[in-house]
Amino acid sequence: MFYEISTLKTEIFGAGKAAAGIENWTTKGAGDLLGAWFADIGSLNEVYLLRSYASAEEMLDERERLARSDNPFGCMDLLINYEVESYRPLDFMGPVATGPLGPVYELRTYKMKLNGLMPTMEKWKTALPDRDVYSKCAIAMYGVDGPPRLTQIWPYASLEARSDARGQSVADGKWPPKGGPDWLSPDMTSTVAMPMAFSPMK
């Protein structure tokens, strides 16, 4: 399984206006749309799309469609820029669930040291089951293009639930994975996003 996160930078207040075009774009392309969100806290005026592909070939075919389009993502009139990143799930992660998991989602990306993937994955494999007791991770995946990185998506019932889960898991010594941060760089980002109306992850 391959995953892809597309980040769309829109004009001011453009995310809502672009929704219909983006939805139409994703229904006509390859792969499966798993989630669509707009930024609420973090870099504003951005839309995030999570899609899955059965093979690298299928994913590249969709990239080719995007590259050749005169109306990328169906919202060229509102689009300032876009970035598309490729991922594979951490070896032990199961399929991504959809449905009413949120409605608050946190998208976190950690840049890893150049040799950090395998040690980081081993630390997460050990620690994530205990962390999931506080709030379940929807997906954790590593980049297969661009710089070494680990991206996670965490659903929460509310911002308060996010703060409670994060704070309590740290206080109880269940998170972060012991020794896990040793393989990460200080370059980390976090965005709180809300699902768009057509998002399979609500």
Side-chain angles (χ1 to χ4, degrees):
M1 182 65 68
F2 288 82
Y3 293 109
E4 177 185 270
I5 292 184
S6 302
T7 302
L8 284 59
K9 187 73 173 182
T10 73
E11 294 182 352
I12 297 174
F13 307 126
K17 299 174 185 177
I22 296 171
E23 180 180 12
N24 185 57
W25 173 271
T26 59
T27 59
K28 292 182 177 179
D32 294 317
L33 179 68
L34 300 175
W37 303 273
F38 63 89
D40 188 55
I41 300 174
S43 297
L44 300 181
N45 303 304
E46 290 188 347
V47 171
Y48 311 103
L49 305 175
L50 174 66
R51 287 190 282 181
S52 65
Y53 298 92
S55 67
E57 290 76 16
E58 185 180 47
M59 183 171 64
L60 289 175
D61 285 345
E62 181 64 7
R63 295 284 177 85
E64 186 76 6
R65 182 174 80 103
L66 177 62
R68 292 174 178 269
S69 175
D70 62 356
N71 187 21
F73 295 104
C75 59
M76 182 62 199
D77 57 327
L78 298 164
L79 199 58
I80 303 299
N81 199 5
Y82 68 80
E83 180 177 341
V84 185
E85 298 176 305
S86 307
Y87 288 91
R88 293 274 283 166
L90 297 188
D91 292 352
F92 57 87
M93 294 295 299
V96 175
T98 56
L101 308 177
V104 172
Y105 288 80
E106 183 177 20
L107 287 68
R108 297 178 70 89
T109 295
Y110 304 150
K111 298 290 178 62
M112 293 185 292
K113 294 181 178 178
L114 299 182
N115 62 342
L117 174 59
M118 298 311 292
T120 298
M121 185 152 45
E122 187 59 34
K123 301 295 185 183
W124 272 60
K125 181 179 180 180
T126 300
L128 193 57
D130 284 342
R131 175 60 178 82
D132 276 347
V133 172
Y134 300 85
S135 63
K136 187 172 177 59
C137 181
I139 184 63
M141 49 196 176
Y142 62 92
V144 291
D145 57 9
R149 64 194 183 279
L150 172 68
T151 293
Q152 321 121 59
I153 299 176
W154 300 83
Y156 296 97
S158 64
L159 284 173
E160 182 180 15
R162 171 187 174 274
S163 296
D164 290 346
R166 290 182 57 79
Q168 195 61 52
S169 63
V170 172
D172 293 345
K174 301 299 185 181
W175 201 255
K178 291 179 174 59
D182 296 347
W183 300 95
L184 304 177
S185 82
D187 189 357
M188 303 176 176
T189 60
S190 174
T191 299
V192 173
M194 310 297 286
M196 303 181 80
F198 63 92
S199 175
M201 298 171 72
K202 303 293 186 183

